[in-house]
Amino acid sequence: MKKNILIGIVICILLSTNSIFTYAEDDSLEQFRDAVNKAWVQRDYEEIQQLIQNRLNNHPNDVLALGVKMYYYVFCSRDLSKARETGDEFFDAVRKSGNSDMIQLSSMMRDEIYSIPLSESKPYTQEQIDVIHNEFNKSFPLIERFYSMATTILSR
Amino acid sequence: MEGEWCNLTPVTYILKGKTDYTIHTLPKIEEDLKPMILIFKHCSFLETSCDTTCNIPLDLSRYRVKVEQRGCLLKELYKKDEWNNAYYIILKDYSPDKDSDLKVDAPFYSEEFHHLHLNTSVQESFGFENVELAYQVQLSSNKAATGSINISGPIALNNPQEFILGKTDLANPCTDKEAKALTIFYKDVIDDNFEIQPFDVQLTFIPEGFKEITWTRHKGPDSGILTNADQAVATFSNPEEGGLYQFDVIADNIPETHTRTNLWLPVAGPDISYYWENEIDYFKNQWGPSYRKKLDRRTSVFTTQMTRAFMKHVFSLNDMKSLGPNLDWMGQVEGEYTPCGGPNIVGDLWRQTLYGVVIDFAKRNNMMYALIGREMGLSEFELMKAPNLPIIQFGTPDKEEQFESYRAGFDLFNGESLEEVMKKRGHKMQAPGSWSQKEWPSYEISYEGLERKAEKQLKELIR
C-alpha cells in the first residue's frame, strides 16, 4: 500500500514537473518573440541575430527560433543560401511534430525561400528596408506564425 | 343560489384556469338535435360513487342534472384516459325547446342564463380547481418536430399541438418564443436531393358530432391545399413555402367556438442573391484588381522578380491577418413576411436565402473571405487552414461545414456562378441540427444589402 502511494506521489511530481516545464517553455517563447519584435522595431539586426543564436544554443530544434532565423536571412542580412539552409532545418524540426498540416505549411514556406534565386541575394537598399519596416512596423515578419507553430508543437 | 333550478343549454367550453366559466348556448331557434358536453379534467369530486349504467365512478346526482321531460334525454358518460383522465358527460338528443329544457341544479351557478360563476370558495369545495379545457383543437403531422422544441427559451411540446377553444389572438412564433404552434422543420420534409416530399397536417376539432364544422385559412403563404374543411378532421397538404400558416375553425357557427391555430414552418430571411452577386462581382472585378494593383506599387522597390513575388505574398498574408477577423457582413435583410424562424444565436446567426438555400452569417462571410483571399493572391491551403493553423491567426477550429464554405468561395473565384455554388455546396454548409437546416428557404426576394464591417479596411487596401 505504501509503495503504491509512493509511486502515485512520484507520478504526480513528474506530471507537475512536466506541466511547469511546458509553461516555462511557453513563457520563454513569448519572451523570445517579444525581444525579437522589440529589436526589429529598433532595426537592431545584430540583437536579433544574438537572440536567435542564444535561443538555438539552448533549444537547437526550436521551431520559432528556426523560423525567425530563416526569415532573418531573407529580410535582414539577405543571405539566401543561409536562408535555404535554415529552411531545411526548420522543415525538419516541424516534420518531427507529425502534424500533417503544419508539415505542409513549413514545406510551402521552405519552398518559397527556395523559389528566390541565389542571384537575388543582393543587400536591400535603404528604400527597400524602409518599405519592409513600413509593412511590418510592429513585429518581425510573420513571427506570430512561427510562434504559434512552436506553441502548437509544445502543447502536443 | 344553491338548490335553485336554472335553464342550461349546451356547454361549449370551460376556460382553463378561470374561477368562473361561461356556458354558451346553442341557438334555440334550431330544432335539430344538439349534444351537450361537459368535460372535466382531474376532478376529484367525480369519485363519490358509480353510475351503474356506464360503469364510471360518477354520481350524476351530485350534479343534480334533471330533465323535466325524461323521455327527451338520453345520457352517456365517458371517461377517456388518453386525454389526461378527462371526464365527459355527453347528453345526446337534447333539444333545447320549451318542453324539454335541461335543468341542472348546482350550487355554483347563478340565475344568469348564459354564465355560471364559479367563485374560489365554491371551486375549492367542489374540487373544481383543475377544470380544464373542454373542447380540443389540435394540429398534428407525422413530419412535425417530435417531442419538444427548444428555441432558447421555454420548451414547447410540439406534436400534437393543442389550441385553446375560442382563442383567436395567438402569439406569433416569429417573434414570441412562447407562442403555441405545430412546428415542421424543412430538414424533416426533404429527401436526399433536397426536394420537398408530400406531407399532411391534420387539423382536428374534438369532439365530433357537430352539424357544421368549418375550417378556413386565416393567413399564411399561398401554398398547400386544405381539404375536408367541413369535417372535424381536415387536412392541409403539401405546403411548399415556409412561414406562419393560421387556420380557423368554428363549430355550428357558434362564435365562442371560433378558434385559431398556428402551423409554423420556420423560414429564413429573404433571398438576397442579387445583393450577394453584386458583392461577388465587386470583389472579383473591382476590389481584387485594385488590391493587386496597389500591391504592385507597394512592392515596386523590389526589382528582382522572385523577391518581389515573395514580398507580395508575405504582405498579403499580413494584410489578411488584420482584415480577416473583420470580414463580416452584418445585419439581416427583412421582408414583409420573412424571416420568421428560429432565434439568432452565436454560431447560427442572421440566416438568409441564397438561390433557395438557407445560409447563415458565418458561412456567407467565410465564402466571401475565401474569395477575397484568393483575389489577394493567397493559396487555398492558407485560407482554408487559417483558422486551424498558425498562419493568419484568427477564428476557432473549423468543422466540415466551414471548410465547405471556403470551398464555395474558391469556386466563385474560379468562375462558377453563385447559383451553381449554392446548388453544389449550399446544404453542405449547414451545420447539423442548426437553424439553417431547420428553416425553410424564404420565398421573398430582397434587393437590400448588408453592412460591410471591414469597409474602412477594405478601402484602405485599395486606396
Side-chain angles (χ1 to χ4, degrees), chain B residues 71 94 104 129 162 292 296 383 416:
Chain B
Y94 169 61
V104 176
E129 63 273 17
E162 292 184 10
R292 293 192 294 275
D296 266 341
L383 292 164
E416 290 186 44

Side-chain angles (χ1 to χ4, degrees), chain B residues 12-270:
Chain B
T12 54
Y13 67 86
I14 302 169
L15 289 176
K16 180 181 179 181
K18 298 264 181 138
T19 55
D20 61 343
Y21 67 89
T22 307
I23 291 183
H24 299 276
T25 64
L26 288 173
K28 282 197 170 188
I29 55 172
E30 292 190 28
E31 296 298 326
D32 297 331
L33 297 178
K34 297 290 180 185
M36 171 183 167
I37 303 175
L38 291 162
I39 302 177
F40 306 102
K41 288 185 179 179
H42 313 295
C43 293
S44 58
F45 69 94
L46 294 173
E47 298 171 0
T48 54
S49 64
C50 181
D51 181 290
T52 55
T53 61
C54 60
N55 201 28
I56 294 292
L58 172 68
D59 180 4
L60 198 61
S61 66
R62 283 291 301 265
Y63 301 92
R64 282 168 276 186
V65 177
K66 289 188 178 181
V67 181
E68 285 186 334
Q69 294 184 358
R70 286 181 178 275
C72 296
L73 178 69
L74 296 173
K75 303 189 295 292
E76 284 187 29
L77 304 172
Y78 293 102
K79 175 184 177 183
K80 288 200 170 182
D81 287 337
E82 64 268 28
W83 289 349
N84 299 320
N85 287 320
Y87 289 83
Y88 297 78
I89 309 170
I90 300 181
L91 306 170
K92 286 187 176 177
D93 302 331
Y94 169 61
S95 181
D97 56 41
K98 287 182 180 178
D99 296 326
S100 60
D101 281 348
L102 173 66
K103 293 187 177 182
V104 176
D105 177 30
F108 51 81
Y109 66 85
S110 74
E111 291 180 77
E112 190 175 350
F113 186 77
H114 295 307
H115 300 88
L116 298 180
H117 297 285
L118 184 64
N119 64 39
T120 304
S121 61
V122 173
Q123 179 183 2
E124 287 173 358
S125 67
F126 272 77
F128 226 76
E129 63 273 17
N130 289 317
V131 171
E132 292 193 6
L133 183 66
Y135 286 14
Q136 286 181 305
V137 178
Q138 290 182 345
L139 297 191
S140 60
S141 172
N142 62 357
K143 291 294 184 183
T146 54
S148 59
I149 302 168
N150 191 344
I151 54 172
S152 295
I155 296 172
L157 187 66
N158 188 45
N159 191 27
Q161 187 66 258
E162 292 184 10
F163 298 87
I164 297 172
L165 191 89
K167 188 174 174 61
T168 54
D169 56 337
L170 296 186
N172 186 340
C174 306
T175 53
D176 187 345
K177 63 189 176 190
E178 297 192 35
K180 289 171 75 69
L182 183 77
T183 306
I184 298 179
F185 294 141
Y186 185 69
K187 70 181 180 66
D188 294 329
V189 299
I190 55 173
D191 63 11
D192 292 342
N193 295 317
F194 311 108
E195 299 289 337
I196 298 171
Q197 297 302 295
F199 69 98
D200 293 334
V201 177
Q202 281 73 47
L203 297 72
T204 307
F205 187 92
I206 300 170
E208 297 181 14
F210 280 87
K211 183 185 175 187
E212 185 179 348
I213 298 278
T214 308
W215 286 94
T216 52
R217 286 189 195 219
H218 174 63
K219 71 172 188 181
D222 184 18
S223 181
I225 300 167
L226 180 63
T227 54
N228 295 330
D230 58 349
Q231 304 292 313
V233 181
T235 302
F236 181 59
S237 305
N238 307 330
E240 294 188 339
E241 292 177 350
L244 177 63
Y245 294 78
Q246 292 189 318
F247 299 95
D248 286 5
V249 64
I250 188 166
D252 285 354
N253 285 319
I254 304 166
E256 289 80 2
T257 65
H258 184 197
T259 307
R260 185 152 296 153
T261 63
N262 278 341
L263 170 63
W264 186 39
L265 279 50
V267 60

Side-chain angles (χ1 to χ4, degrees), chain A residues 31-147:
Chain A
Q31 287 165 9
F32 173 73
R33 178 195 63 187
D34 294 346
V36 169
N37 284 339
K38 187 178 177 187
W40 169 259
V41 170
Q42 294 170 346
R43 302 194 186 191
D44 187 348
Y45 295 167
E46 285 184 16
E47 175 65 8
I48 294 173
Q49 193 173 26
Q50 192 59 53
L51 287 165
I52 294 168
Q53 196 54 51
N54 291 346
R55 177 81 190 163
L56 288 175
N57 285 343
N58 294 323
H59 308 92
N61 293 316
D62 182 60
V63 168
L64 172 59
L66 288 170
V68 171
K69 184 179 179 183
M70 177 174 72
Y71 272 18
Y72 173 86
Y73 290 122
V74 177
F75 289 99
C76 302
S77 78
R78 196 63 178 160
D79 186 336
L80 293 175
S81 181
K82 286 187 178 174
R84 289 181 179 187
E85 190 179 306
T86 313
D88 291 337
E89 293 173 34
F90 169 71
F91 174 71
D92 283 342
V94 174
R95 193 171 55 183
K96 287 172 188 166
S97 73
N99 182 318
S100 58
D101 283 338
M102 284 215 298
I103 292 169
Q104 187 175 344
L105 174 64
S106 61
S107 171
M108 286 169 60
M109 295 175 81
R110 181 191 60 174
D111 292 348
E112 194 173 32
I113 299 292
Y114 269 90
S115 72
I116 308 173
L118 294 176
S119 58
E120 294 187 17
S121 281
K122 289 182 290 189
Y124 291 124
T125 64
Q126 188 57 47
E127 187 182 19
Q128 289 171 330
I129 292 170
D130 289 343
V131 167
I132 290 170
H133 276 273
N134 186 50
E135 293 286 341
F136 298 97
N137 56 4
K138 290 179 181 166
S139 58
F140 185 86
L142 305 192
I143 193 169
E144 287 300 331
R145 172 193 287 189
F146 301 124
Y147 173 78

Side-chain angles (χ1 to χ4, degrees), chain B residues 339-460:
Chain B
C340 172
N344 283 313
I345 51 180
V346 175
D348 206 2
L349 274 176
W350 294 328
R351 296 163 299 277
Q352 302 280 169
T353 306
L354 287 178
Y355 281 108
V357 181
V358 179
I359 184 168
D360 69 43
F361 165 81
K363 309 306 184 310
R364 284 197 306 275
N365 296 335
N366 286 348
M367 190 193 307
M368 200 62 86
Y369 150 83
L371 168 65
I372 290 171
R374 293 293 287 129
E375 290 292 333
M376 292 168 70
L378 300 176
S379 71
E380 291 186 2
F381 176 83
E382 287 170 313
L383 292 164
M384 187 133 76
K385 300 290 184 176
N388 306 290
L389 268 180
I391 302 172
I392 299 174
Q393 294 292 303
F394 58 85
T396 51
D398 282 331
K399 295 176 181 172
E400 185 52 34
E401 57 267 19
Q402 271 107 18
F403 288 128
E404 197 67 17
S405 62
Y406 300 134
R407 292 184 195 109
F410 303 150
D411 289 345
L412 294 171
F413 173 77
N414 292 327
E416 290 186 44
S417 70
L418 179 60
E419 187 174 6
E420 290 169 333
V421 169
M422 290 309 294
K423 188 176 180 183
K424 185 166 70 173
R425 304 195 188 275
H427 291 282
K428 294 178 185 172
M429 288 190 246
Q430 298 169 336
S434 68
W435 280 99
S436 304
Q437 275 195 336
K438 293 173 182 172
E439 285 177 347
W440 292 58
S442 174
Y443 51 89
E444 291 187 289
I445 293 173
S446 176
Y447 300 99
E448 290 179 29
L450 303 166
E451 179 194 347
R452 287 183 200 147
K453 184 181 173 186
E455 176 69 0
K456 189 179 172 188
Q457 281 177 284
L458 286 163
K459 282 193 171 167
E460 283 173 358

